[in-house]
Amino acid sequence: MMTPVKIFAITACLIAAALGSTAFINVKLLNKVNTEDKGFAVVELFTSEGCSSCPPADQLVAKIEKELKDRPVYILAYHVDYWNRLGWKDAFSSADYSKRQQDYATYLHIQSVYTPQIVVNGRMEFVGSEESVLRSAISGNLQKAQGEPLSLSAMTPNKSQADIKYTAGNADKNTALYIAILQKNAQTKVERGENEGRTLSHVQIVRKLQKIALNGDSGETKISLPPGFDSQNWEIIGFLQNTGTGVVTGAAKASFVE
């Protein structure tokens, strides 16, 4: 007759094996041949260097970004500013990104915001460090047909300005184009706050987000570039978003051409 301790140990092993199998299946699903992708996934992470729960989420999106760099998966990391009051000011933070997160709380009927939080295609949100949920959300959206095609190009005649050209087909009057200027990676040694003494690594850091009202299927605009811009380590991601529902209906990215 098995003792309760032995029964518990066997049960725990079975659960662990099941969870491991689920994770393996998700990884295999995400690594399918690229030609099978019908849709896209815009992954928006809300994070902060002042939040002790955020580094695992930063590490997770870095892993996903590396795995899926050639797939239609668009990762944007927004550093919110409401953690700055606790002893460490995140140099990448902005009140604009905190407001964007609050807008999602309204769209998705959430009572309060938190970090780390991930929103995928403006349709669903969850804790940013939940790997299995993120992988499932990405794989599910890659299998859906893309709603609105979008293409982008970016030229930098100088270090202070970018010329952006875009084509957005089938967008209705409630759709806006958002252009995010991203720094691909950076490290910070945190000297105070909840992450004091840690060196944190970040990817796909949103350094500027600009909303563009669409006027026809194509157009161009000029965007001022943030300090420290480097065409080799920065890129742009554009996405179409319904201003009434928050749903993201198309996305594209481009490198900067000098």
Side-chain angles (χ1 to χ4, degrees), residues 183-208:
Q183 184 174 346
K184 294 181 182 179
N185 53 69
Q187 284 191 331
T188 301
K189 184 177 180 180
V190 179
E191 298 176 356
R192 293 178 298 279
E194 291 193 356
N195 289 312
E196 181 178 0
R198 302 182 66 176
T199 297
L200 303 180
S201 296
H202 309 299
V203 298
Q204 299 298 97
I205 311 157
V206 179
R207 299 297 303 275
K208 186 168 187 175

Side-chain angles (χ1 to χ4, degrees), residues 52-96:
S52 61
S53 300
C54 287
D58 296 333
Q59 293 164 11
L60 173 59
V61 296
K63 179 166 67 172
I64 295 294
E65 195 273 335
K66 184 176 181 180
E67 286 180 18
L68 306 179
K69 62 182 179 180
D70 297 322
R71 308 282 293 280
V73 177
Y74 309 97
I75 294 174
L76 303 97
Y78 302 94
H79 289 235
V80 298
D81 70 339
Y82 50 82
W83 282 93
N84 291 353
R85 66 184 184 275
L86 298 181
W88 177 252
K89 183 177 180 180
D90 187 333
F92 301 116
S93 66
S94 170
D96 292 341

Side-chain angles (χ1 to χ4, degrees), residues 154-164 181 221-225 229 236 256:
M155 295 190 67
T156 51
N158 54 63
K159 294 289 186 180
S160 62
Q161 179 180 288
D163 297 334
I164 311 296
I181 300 178
T221 189
K222 298 181 183 297
I223 298 179
S224 59
L225 296 169
F229 171 79
I236 66 168
F256 287 97

Side-chain angles (χ1 to χ4, degrees), residues 59-164:
Q59 293 164 11
L60 173 59
V61 296
K63 179 166 67 172
I64 295 294
E65 195 273 335
K66 184 176 181 180
E67 286 180 18
L68 306 179
K69 62 182 179 180
D70 297 322
R71 308 282 293 280
V73 177
Y74 309 97
I75 294 174
L76 303 97
Y78 302 94
H79 289 235
V80 298
D81 70 339
Y82 50 82
W83 282 93
N84 291 353
R85 66 184 184 275
L86 298 181
W88 177 252
K89 183 177 180 180
D90 187 333
F92 301 116
S93 66
S94 170
D96 292 341
Y97 309 150
S98 298
K99 182 182 182 304
R100 180 163 180 80
Q101 187 182 27
Q102 190 62 57
D103 288 343
Y104 271 129
T106 301
Y107 286 136
L108 299 172
H109 308 291
I110 305 166
Q111 291 185 347
S112 61
V113 298
Y114 62 91
T115 55
Q117 181 187 35
I118 281 178
V119 178
V120 178
N121 283 4
R123 295 177 180 273
M124 63 180 298
E125 66 84 26
F126 47 88
V127 176
S129 53
E130 294 184 341
E131 182 171 358
S132 62
V133 179
L134 175 57
R135 289 185 178 277
S136 178
I138 291 173
S139 62
N141 280 285
L142 289 179
Q143 294 172 45
K144 295 178 182 178
Q146 181 166 334
E148 298 172 349
L150 175 67
S151 62
L152 294 171
S153 66
M155 295 190 67
T156 51
N158 54 63
K159 294 289 186 180
S160 62
Q161 179 180 288
D163 297 334
I164 311 296

Side-chain angles (χ1 to χ4, degrees), residues 8-21:
F8 177 80
I10 293 172
T11 303
C13 289
L14 291 172
I15 293 173
L19 290 174
S21 298

